[in-house]
Amino acid sequence: MTEPEAERAPLDPEMFDPVCPSPLAPFRVGDKWAPMVLRCLQDGPRRFSELKVPLGGVTAKSLTRSLRGLEQAGFVAREEHGGTERRVEYSLTPLGRGLLGALDAACEWTREHWDELIDAQEAGLSGTTGR
């Protein structure tokens, strides 16, 4: 049974480390926003409006696209609640929850190799890859 929305702590608008998720991470799950959406759902179901709080720059269209992609991949479940106040909540599936460890490992690896990744990216952009 899910925890009532009023009892859940709100998501921290500053919850994401500027380093990770990063385009320099060794792999990507879904689109740009997908890893952060997964992280937002780690403590239980969330409504669309709750997800937007820590995802500062995301547009409604991009978040919708990301959620649909995660749902189609089997990582996120969408549940509609009827009644007087119709609402939709998103939650991790067991498959999605299984990705959290891999995301943690990727973020840790990225932190450990940050300077090397920056150097490699700069070398690649300048065309001096040492060939």
Side-chain angles (χ1 to χ4, degrees), residues 17-104:
D17 181 332
V19 171
C20 202
S22 163
L24 297 178
F27 69 90
R28 182 171 286 190
V29 175
D31 61 24
K32 171 183 177 179
W33 302 103
M36 291 181 279
V37 169
L38 294 171
R39 187 63 65 203
C40 287
L41 296 173
Q42 72 183 358
D43 293 326
R46 296 289 178 169
R47 295 176 75 171
F48 188 90
S49 59
E50 291 179 280
L51 294 172
K52 284 191 75 171
V53 173
L55 304 176
V58 71
T59 64
K61 182 178 180 178
S62 292
L63 181 54
T64 298
R65 189 177 320 133
S66 186
L67 285 164
R68 284 183 183 156
L70 289 167
E71 185 179 8
Q72 289 171 352
F75 300 135
V76 168
R78 180 182 186 273
E79 185 177 355
E80 289 188 40
H81 300 277
T84 56
E85 186 181 316
R86 184 177 164 259
R87 62 187 169 89
V88 174
E89 288 186 323
Y90 298 90
S91 61
L92 289 178
T93 63
L95 190 61
R97 188 159 296 286
L99 279 174
L100 295 176
L103 291 174
D104 289 341

